[in-house]
Amino acid sequence: MAADGLPLARPVGAGLDLCECEMKIICYRAKRGTVLDRLIGWIERSAVSHVEIVEHESDDYWYVIGCHIQREGVSRARIKKSDDWVELSLDLPAGQEDVAKHIAARLLGTPYAMHKLPRTRWSWWPTFGKGLICTSFIATCLELPDPD
């Protein structure tokens, strides 16, 4: 945990303290994607354009829950493992992974809110309407303040 109490992201496979649990997320590398992925990466000033929570995985696939524009909102998906994605583990307090995944499941069906995307870069952008983008979905699941 960081000094401010927020979870730290670290590469998958690093050690854990006994009082913490690990939740894996995957982030899509913006420069390897479509024009929309690159635009989102530019708007968010980020090397990644999307994030998903990994519910479980096999040797070849991640089984995820996330808020994706092409899936029209919060849904589950199977994503083929590739180096187009970055795997990160979040160090969370014990039990928080279960809470985050429970919240994620409750949000299934929430629509994608393209109109909220500019707010990740421009704080003056108005907040209006319903729905989520992937970062606000993750923040909601982790019970953090909504970035949009």
Side-chain angles (χ1 to χ4, degrees), residues 66-83:
C67 188
H68 195 279
I69 190 169
Q70 291 176 327
R71 298 192 316 255
E72 300 178 359
V74 179
S75 62
R76 288 187 164 101
R78 182 181 74 167
I79 296 175
K80 179 115 174 100
K81 289 184 175 180
S82 76
D83 63 357

Side-chain angles (χ1 to χ4, degrees), residues 119-140:
R119 186 136 173 96
T120 63
R121 181 166 182 178
W122 299 294
S123 60
W124 52 265
W125 190 265
T127 57
F128 60 90
K130 296 186 180 196
L132 296 168
I133 58 175
C134 63
T135 52
S136 58
F137 167 76
I138 297 293
T140 300

Side-chain angles (χ1 to χ4, degrees), residues 4-147:
D4 60 3
L6 296 176
L8 293 173
R10 61 180 169 68
V12 172
L16 282 177
D17 295 334
L18 293 176
C19 62
E20 296 178 338
C21 68
E22 176 181 298
M23 184 172 85
K24 186 183 289 185
I25 61 173
I26 56 173
C27 302
Y28 191 72
R29 297 177 197 266
K31 293 196 180 214
R32 297 191 182 185
T34 65
V35 171
L36 182 60
D37 289 304
R38 293 170 195 218
L39 176 64
I40 290 169
W42 177 79
I43 289 172
E44 294 185 344
R45 295 182 187 166
S46 176
V48 299
S49 62
H50 184 65
V51 61
E52 300 263 356
I53 294 174
V54 176
E55 293 189 288
H56 59 279
E57 63 186 297
S58 68
D59 290 341
D60 298 321
Y61 292 94
W62 292 293
Y63 296 85
V64 299
I65 186 168
C67 188
H68 195 279
I69 190 169
Q70 291 176 327
R71 298 192 316 255
E72 300 178 359
V74 179
S75 62
R76 288 187 164 101
R78 182 181 74 167
I79 296 175
K80 179 115 174 100
K81 289 184 175 180
S82 76
D83 63 357
D84 291 340
W85 294 84
V86 178
E87 291 183 276
L88 297 172
S89 290
L90 303 180
D91 290 341
L92 301 173
Q96 190 63 36
E97 177 185 15
D98 292 335
V99 170
K101 289 180 178 179
H102 176 76
I103 292 170
R106 284 192 358 235
L107 292 171
L108 284 167
T110 302
Y112 191 88
M114 181 64 110
H115 62 277
K116 291 185 175 185
L117 187 59
R119 186 136 173 96
T120 63
R121 181 166 182 178
W122 299 294
S123 60
W124 52 265
W125 190 265
T127 57
F128 60 90
K130 296 186 180 196
L132 296 168
I133 58 175
C134 63
T135 52
S136 58
F137 167 76
I138 297 293
T140 300
C141 293
L142 294 175
E143 301 180 301
L144 298 172
D146 189 339

